[in-house]
Amino acid sequence: MRLASEVDILEELHSTRSAAEALDTLQQLTEMQMMSDCLRSERLDHQRLNWHEHAQQLMHEGLFVNEYTMSYEAHSNLVEILRPYLQRKEYNSRSSEPIAVEHMVAAGLRHLQGGRVKDARHIIKTSRAACYAAVDDFIDAVNSAPELDIKLPKSPEEWKNVNENFRRRSSHDVMGGTVGAIDGFFQRCNKPTLKEVRNVLSYFSGHYESYGVNCQAIVLADLQFMYFGVLTPGSTNDIVTFAMSDVLKDLVNNLPLGLYFVGDAAYPLSEKLLTPYVGVHRHSSPYHDSFNYHLSQLRIRVEMAFGRLVNKFRILSGKINGSLERLSAILTACSRLHNFIIQQDGLADAEISHDDENSLEVRANPSAPLGMTYLPTVPDDRFVFSTEAGTSHTRSEIVEWLETNSIARPLHNISRRTRELQRSDVADEDWVQSRNRDGAVYSVVREYISPI
């Protein structure tokens, strides 16, 4: 019995010591928490932007379109389209007020306009991390909403309407079968990583001395995109990109009978894709030159669309930071919003004639030829004049009709080209001159980059 009592006493002492140690540990943790609370700065609550008052103020000042690239009505419609994709994000906030869909759309549009996210956060009143997340969510939502899809014409009636819009812009209805203008542009980006691509060097353009990607688009007469894609590395020429894209080739080859696209000399000539005469073929007949003029009347629509795209979304005017996946997402979102804005607000400057395109109020890119706002894809010496190998009975028939009706290039257009040549240091009218970012002068064959 005595032995048992000693064991009980020892167990009681041990348990008492354990309890005391636990209390001591708890007291230490409590003191550490109190010290941490004292050292931590007080968290300030973000008072969210009152969107309604903000919008009313901008509309009163006539600045809403300038601030958000579209009318208030179009912006409201966009918010409703994106609400199902963004509303679930509203409540992921520790502030007293959630980040509303209007805030996310405002931050996303400002970023695509070329604004910095760390500046946009001060407008919508969020943390820096929350604003970056809102911008990413906005871009993903724009690319996910089926209401913003870029749609191809499908029915004969839709193709007829597309064709009629082009025919109204073609002098003498010369290019009466046109349903789209195709071209590409170069978008600068960061140097890709080896984890993203195997051949990093293929993304480097020696012409623009920058890494980038080749984007291809087909444009309607009202400057909406019928097709837009980020297809190949930046060093790839349009003719190679076209050959590598099954989507583009199928789209061209499956056009209804009698219809065709128009493009510059970087594309392969065919019955469904008409390109200008180049080199000696251009000067062999005045009606070849007339054909080039009438083709460029419609081909300019794609250049105007690119110019409008870059001027609306100034993030495209410089180098886009981030991964190639993010680059593609931004470009796609901009192209979808480009169409949405035209559908919602119309396009007054779409009616500018071929010879008045220089009156558009745009900011020229210093690295682009002829004061363009975007960087056209420019072929290298391997492909100059090589795309004339194709044949097109359609093009020959148009030239024959021009000759039969004695329709030459208009005199006012010849006068404009003469003035342009006099202002240039290049003596040959077949070439245009520009400078790259370092100020080095380069010349480019006119048919590859500009209406003629």
Side-chain angles (χ1 to χ4, degrees), residues 16 20 31 93 105 125 141 180 247 254 257 261 266 328 381 394 431:
T16 302
E31 292 175 354
S93 173
V105 174
K125 309 297 183 183
V247 175
N254 294 329
L257 184 66
F261 294 130
S328 179
D381 293 337
T394 302
W431 296 77

Side-chain angles (χ1 to χ4, degrees), residues 221-251:
D222 64 358
L223 307 193
Q224 289 192 64
F225 292 117
M226 177 193 300
Y227 170 84
F228 186 94
V230 184
L231 298 185
T232 55
S235 64
T236 312
N237 297 281
D238 285 342
I239 187 173
V240 176
T241 300
F242 181 85
M244 294 173 62
S245 174
D246 292 334
V247 175
L248 275 179
K249 288 187 294 184
D250 290 344
L251 184 57

Side-chain angles (χ1 to χ4, degrees), residues 283-409:
H283 299 291
S284 62
S285 166
Y287 298 105
H288 287 179
D289 185 57
S290 177
F291 172 86
N292 284 6
Y293 165 78
H294 288 93
L295 180 141
S296 69
Q297 271 192 318
L298 304 185
R299 181 165 61 87
I300 194 178
R301 310 308 292 183
V302 66
E303 299 194 0
M304 291 173 68
F306 286 153
R308 178 182 173 87
L309 177 73
V310 173
N311 274 279
K312 282 284 186 180
F313 305 105
R314 298 299 298 173
I315 190 174
L316 305 181
S317 64
K319 181 187 295 184
I320 297 179
N321 297 320
S323 65
L324 288 176
E325 182 180 5
R326 174 175 168 79
L327 169 68
S328 179
I330 289 175
L331 284 163
T332 303
C334 289
S335 65
R336 290 161 73 95
L337 290 171
H338 167 95
N339 278 13
F340 174 79
I341 294 171
I342 295 175
Q343 293 163 8
Q344 293 287 313
D345 295 335
L347 187 63
D349 57 4
E351 303 302 325
I352 293 177
S353 69
H354 170 73
D355 289 291
D356 291 332
E357 73 271 10
N358 290 330
S359 65
L360 281 171
E361 293 184 4
V362 296
R363 284 178 281 180
N365 189 311
S367 297
L370 292 180
M372 291 179 170
T373 61
Y374 69 97
L375 301 179
T377 50
V378 178
D380 58 34
D381 293 337
R382 294 173 297 167
F383 299 99
V384 173
F385 306 138
S386 65
T387 55
E388 186 64 25
T391 59
S392 171
H393 295 293
T394 302
R395 188 174 75 167
S396 299
E397 289 175 0
I398 294 174
V399 171
E400 183 179 348
W401 186 88
L402 289 169
E403 185 172 5
T404 300
N405 293 275
S406 301
I407 299 176
R409 179 187 290 269

Side-chain angles (χ1 to χ4, degrees), residues 58-219:
L58 289 177
M59 286 190 289
H60 175 72
E61 297 172 349
L63 296 175
F64 191 93
V65 175
N66 180 267
E67 295 276 348
Y68 293 104
T69 75
M70 64 186 74
S71 67
Y72 176 74
E73 292 74 17
H75 187 280
S76 300
N77 292 336
L78 180 63
V79 167
E80 294 308 313
I81 290 173
L82 301 182
R83 191 176 297 280
Y85 304 91
L86 296 176
Q87 194 167 30
R88 60 185 178 84
K89 306 284 187 179
E90 284 187 354
Y91 306 103
N92 297 340
S93 173
R94 294 183 296 170
S95 297
S96 59
E97 298 178 66
I99 302 175
V101 174
E102 289 81 359
H103 297 144
M104 298 182 193
V105 174
L109 288 174
R110 284 183 173 275
H111 179 59
L112 296 183
Q113 283 182 278
R116 300 186 302 178
V117 175
K118 62 182 181 181
D119 292 333
R121 64 173 286 251
H122 296 299
I123 298 174
I124 64 174
K125 309 297 183 183
T126 67
S127 68
R128 185 171 179 173
C131 195
Y132 272 102
V135 169
D136 289 339
D137 291 338
F138 167 78
I139 293 173
D140 291 341
V142 169
N143 292 333
S144 300
E147 297 90 338
L148 301 178
D149 286 347
I150 296 176
K151 298 180 176 65
L152 292 170
K154 294 183 178 179
S155 68
E157 188 64 27
E158 289 177 334
W159 281 112
K160 181 180 178 181
N161 291 336
V162 170
N163 176 238
E164 288 295 331
N165 287 334
F166 273 105
R167 293 182 70 173
R168 285 196 293 268
R169 292 169 170 82
S170 179
S171 298
H172 308 289
D173 197 21
V174 172
M175 310 297 297
T178 305
V179 289
I182 183 173
D183 204 357
F185 83 94
F186 177 84
Q187 177 57 54
R188 289 193 177 111
C189 67
N190 287 336
K191 179 180 179 181
T193 65
L194 288 173
K195 292 183 179 180
E196 294 179 294
V197 296
R198 292 183 178 180
N199 186 359
V200 175
L201 190 59
S202 66
Y203 285 81
F204 185 80
S205 168
H207 182 81
Y208 291 119
E209 299 182 347
S210 174
Y211 290 92
V213 293
N214 183 314
C215 305
Q216 294 288 311
I218 300 177
V219 171

